[in-house]
Amino acid sequence: MAETTLALAAMEKLLRKAGAERVSDTGKAALREVLEDYSKIIGEKAIRFAKHSGRKTIKAEDVKLAAKS
């Protein structure tokens, strides 16, 4: 089983906020997988932006810029 970072309860909460009345366990797991994959991509881009700016620290602006690109 792959290591996961995000809790299934948090996935259900997000889906319910979006308007879902009921959420299956497979639906929660699928959202978690997609979000973890997407966040890894954004994180890698944010790291490149910070390094390009000569920093080791990832700032909010790096993350926001990475999410836009």
Side-chain angles (χ1 to χ4, degrees), residues 3-55:
E3 181 184 336
T4 58
T5 305
L6 302 172
L8 285 179
M11 300 303 101
E12 182 171 3
K13 193 173 188 176
L14 286 171
L15 289 166
R16 286 189 183 268
K17 272 186 151 181
E21 290 183 32
R22 295 176 63 188
V23 183
S24 70
D25 287 342
T26 56
K28 293 178 229 179
L31 180 60
R32 175 172 59 188
E33 183 180 332
V34 169
L35 289 179
E36 286 180 348
D37 290 345
Y38 186 61
S39 61
K40 183 179 178 200
I41 293 167
I42 291 174
E44 290 169 348
K45 287 180 182 179
I47 290 167
R48 284 197 300 267
F49 288 133
K51 284 184 179 179
H52 180 74
S53 297
R55 293 182 277 108

